[in-house]
Amino acid sequence: MERKISRREKECEEKHSNSEGSEQDKDYKTSLITLNVGGYLYITQKQTLTKYPDSFLEGIINGKIMCPFDADGHYFIDRDGLLFRHILNFLRNGELLLPEGFRENQLLAQEAEFFQLKVLSDAVKSRWEKEQLASRETTFLEITDSHDRSQGLRIFCNAPEFIAKIKSRIVLVSKSRLDGFPEEFSVSSNIIQFKYFIKSENGTRLVLKEDNTFVCTLETLKFEAIMMALKCGFRLLTSLDCSKGSIVHSDALHFIK
């Protein structure tokens, strides 16, 4: 036989339920931490900041390290507030993820050491070393004749991304001028090879369509490369073949920042 729930029992159950909900809300709120890092406010969870035992942040949250508070009662850490976003993202993701073109590796490594995050410090230093090695490696682009690879233009640069940019630009120019004749040049990793790259009577090498129409010259491609390099902050280190007497007559260009 079912027993009717008295009004008093119902009130007690509701009060108990509300009490549990209140406790859960309280626990959730206390798990949120606001940090003032160099004037920048960051709100995150306690478990994120304590992810790595013996780190500076774990020490603060668990009372092992004394930390001052700002006027609003937030933990105040006198460090680089902008770079701290990368520290926090590392704690959240467990790996180093930086935006394209990031150039503050040395500063980030110092921040990682301050926060006593050795894993992050090692990851930043490894990334930095790889970038330094890549910057010393000279890459190249070769624009040549499919019948005579000794003739053409070679572009050298210590920035692989710039070589890729020049390559895309020259391919774009070539496609626009060889409209309807895409088979007249091929592209591989470091080579653009023209099918009808010929030498004219005055010594200029030109791209030639099947109807014997001159499309562009090597000088055109050289000027494209030189103008792009200057706009991107590179300088022409030297012409690798100075015997021609002029940059536009040389067979190779070397750019560096």
Side-chain angles (χ1 to χ4, degrees), residues 43-83:
I43 301 176
T44 186
Q45 295 187 72
K46 180 178 179 179
Q47 64 189 44
T48 301
L49 299 174
T50 58
K51 186 172 183 178
Y52 289 88
D54 300 324
S55 69
F56 181 82
L57 293 169
E58 186 271 336
I60 287 176
I61 301 305
N62 290 330
K64 301 175 187 176
I65 299 174
M66 295 296 293
C67 180
F69 296 91
D70 65 11
D72 296 316
H74 307 313
Y75 290 107
F76 177 75
I77 304 173
D78 190 16
R79 301 299 296 184
D80 192 317
L82 284 174
L83 282 178

Side-chain angles (χ1 to χ4, degrees), residues 148-173:
D148 184 1
R149 289 191 61 181
S150 66
Q151 299 295 327
L153 171 65
R154 290 163 188 79
I155 301 170
F156 296 84
C157 183
N158 64 339
E161 66 275 8
F162 178 65
I163 289 293
K165 192 172 183 178
I166 286 184
K167 177 180 171 183
S168 298
R169 175 61 183 163
I170 290 177
V171 167
L172 182 65
V173 170

Side-chain angles (χ1 to χ4, degrees), residues 82-101:
L82 284 174
L83 282 178
F84 186 74
R85 65 183 278 244
H86 304 304
I87 302 289
L88 195 54
N89 281 333
F90 174 77
L91 294 175
R92 290 166 175 160
N93 302 315
E95 60 179 320
L96 179 62
L97 299 172
L98 296 173
E100 186 177 349

Side-chain angles (χ1 to χ4, degrees), residues 104-120:
E104 297 184 300
N105 294 299
Q106 189 172 6
L107 286 174
L108 184 56
Q110 289 179 346
E111 295 301 296
E113 289 179 4
F114 173 83
F115 287 104
Q116 298 170 22
L117 294 166
K118 188 177 185 304
V119 179
L120 174 58

Side-chain angles (χ1 to χ4, degrees), residues 24-54:
Q24 289 176 354
D25 290 343
K26 186 178 179 181
D27 290 342
Y28 178 72
K29 289 178 180 178
T30 55
S31 71
L32 294 180
I33 305 293
T34 301
L35 300 174
N36 180 341
V37 184
Y40 291 81
L41 294 181
Y42 292 90
I43 301 176
T44 186
Q45 295 187 72
K46 180 178 179 179
Q47 64 189 44
T48 301
L49 299 174
T50 58
K51 186 172 183 178
Y52 289 88
D54 300 324

Side-chain angles (χ1 to χ4, degrees), residues 172-233:
L172 182 65
V173 170
S174 302
K175 281 184 177 179
S176 67
R177 295 183 177 180
L178 287 169
D179 185 30
F181 297 89
E183 73 283 354
E184 293 188 5
F185 72 98
S186 60
V187 182
S188 61
S189 58
N190 289 91
I191 298 175
I192 300 175
Q193 195 169 70
F194 287 93
K195 185 176 180 181
Y196 298 103
F197 209 34
I198 61 145
K199 187 172 183 179
S200 65
E201 292 180 0
N202 61 5
T204 303
R205 301 194 68 81
L206 312 110
V207 176
L208 185 70
K209 279 188 178 181
E210 289 181 345
D211 61 358
N212 292 330
T213 303
F214 293 139
V215 180
C216 61
T217 66
L218 267 182
E219 283 66 31
T220 302
L221 302 180
K222 289 174 189 176
F223 280 122
E224 285 282 344
I226 292 170
M227 293 306 296
M228 281 186 65
L230 294 177
K231 286 180 180 179
C232 292

